Amino acid sequence: MQNEQIFHIAGAEPGANIPSARPPYDAVRFALKKILGSHEFRASRRCQDFLRFVVENTLAGRAEILKERTIGIEAFGRPASYDPSEDATVRVKAGEVRKRLGLYYAGEGRADEIRIDLAPGGYVPEFCWVSPALPAPEPAAAPPVLARRGKTLR
């Protein structure tokens, strides 16, 4: 089963089904590798483990398993008795990953062609093409200033 809802073009209408716009899996994996090696992620093994786990499972068509308890057990090695209501590790780490992704895309990843996002309230990442930044428009020229009998006219 393909998870078409996780692939989109940044700026496209919500819910738009654009299957041809999906970034190829190998390109998403390359983007993941670049993110994990970035300044924002290098220092946190747990954030790397979390992001790698959710991306790889999504690419493998297993997005439905990305629940707090499963991530705690499989990505963080919690025991089978892991109870997310008593241990907020996964929720806290997801928030930290979102913050680090924001920092990454605001700096080092600003020119990346593919973006990996993790929306609040869930653990299934979204992958999208990012259109290249357009150059800023040149400021309009100021209108000429005309002087008439001691008054400035515009």
Side-chain angles (χ1 to χ4, degrees):
M1 179 176 148
Q2 290 290 336
N3 293 314
E4 292 187 25
Q5 74 276 10
I6 62 172
F7 301 100
H8 66 278
I9 294 179
E13 288 292 318
N17 185 7
I18 313 169
S20 62
R22 282 186 261 168
Y25 290 175
D26 60 337
V28 173
R29 285 190 175 99
F30 179 79
L32 173 64
K33 183 178 179 181
K34 188 174 173 191
I35 291 167
L36 296 178
S38 72
H39 172 74
E40 288 77 16
F41 280 83
R42 267 194 310 261
S44 177
R45 177 77 176 175
R46 285 280 184 118
C47 285
Q48 290 178 7
D49 291 345
F50 179 94
L51 188 58
R52 184 180 298 109
F53 183 82
V54 298
V55 168
E56 288 297 341
N57 276 284
T58 300
L59 292 175
R62 296 188 301 263
E64 71 280 351
I65 72 158
L66 296 176
K67 307 290 185 214
E68 187 174 358
R69 186 169 189 280
T70 306
I71 295 168
I73 293 169
E74 293 187 25
F76 295 145
R78 293 289 193 254
S81 61
Y82 172 66
D83 183 358
S85 65
E86 294 178 11
D87 182 348
T89 299
V90 174
R91 288 188 304 277
V92 169
K93 203 49 61 181
E96 189 177 336
V97 166
R98 289 180 188 104
K99 178 181 173 186
R100 288 175 187 264
L101 282 170
L103 292 171
Y104 172 77
Y105 288 117
E108 189 175 335
R110 181 179 323 227
D112 287 5
E113 294 179 352
I114 295 175
R115 187 174 175 111
I116 299 173
D117 285 317
L118 190 63
Y123 304 112
V124 178
E126 294 182 349
F127 315 114
C128 64
W129 289 107
V130 179
S131 49
L134 299 174
E138 293 186 27
V145 177
L146 303 174
R148 183 172 164 194
R149 294 189 185 152
K151 295 183 180 179
T152 302
L153 302 176
R154 291 197 185 257

